[in-house]
Amino acid sequence: MTDQPALARRLPALPDPVLAGLIVVLMLFNALLTLAVEVLFLPLYIGSVPVPISALLAAPINVALVYGMESVTGRLGFAFAPIVVWVFGFLVAASRGPGGDILLASDGRTLLLLACGVLPPVAYLYYRSNANVFRST
């Protein structure tokens, strides 16, 4: 028998603060890196049919980033930081550059990318923040 409560035995210990800080920085960088890949592959066509596969892959990738950040920080509010960085990068990609070029067009694929990149992580965090309410009913 141990003196720890059952919940504390199931949760992994948080890593060293320096290692946790490095992982947080890598998660934030990974959010920008995945956004860049998603934006580059968004105008993918197979024949004459647009296939926004990168928009559909944004949902599980961003949920994984939030889950990874939550496991490192232990604070539910700070777990949303990769999505904030992702949205900031999305807004930069949607604005005009110095030469007048725009990476994201004004069409449904861009809206799908934004929806798939933001709504599933928000739903996941909503579920995690209300997990006690859902379990008690």
Side-chain angles (χ1 to χ4, degrees):
M1 294 282 168
T2 62
D3 295 336
Q4 295 178 345
L7 181 62
R9 284 192 306 257
R10 285 187 287 157
L11 295 176
L14 292 177
D16 178 26
V18 174
L19 180 63
L22 179 65
I23 292 171
V24 165
V25 169
L26 287 174
M27 290 277 198
L28 297 177
F29 175 73
N30 194 13
L32 286 177
L33 185 66
T34 58
L35 173 72
V37 172
E38 291 160 1
V39 167
L40 289 175
F41 282 102
L42 190 62
L44 181 69
Y45 279 84
I46 295 180
S48 63
V49 178
V51 181
I53 190 72
S54 66
L56 300 176
L57 290 176
I61 290 170
N62 286 353
V63 170
L65 286 172
V66 168
Y67 178 77
M69 184 70 87
E70 181 185 7
S71 67
V72 172
T73 62
R75 294 181 5 201
L76 200 58
F78 193 66
F80 200 65
I83 304 308
V84 171
V85 170
W86 189 91
V87 168
F88 176 74
F90 180 87
L91 293 175
V92 168
S95 63
R96 291 192 182 275
D101 51 346
I102 300 174
L103 294 175
L104 292 171
S106 297
D107 61 357
R109 292 176 293 174
T110 301
L111 183 61
L112 182 66
L113 177 63
L114 180 63
C116 289
V118 174
L119 293 180
V122 167
Y124 171 75
L125 281 177
Y126 177 77
Y127 173 76
R128 291 287 295 150
S129 65
N130 294 313
N132 294 338
V133 175
F134 292 132
R135 287 187 192 136
S136 66
T137 58

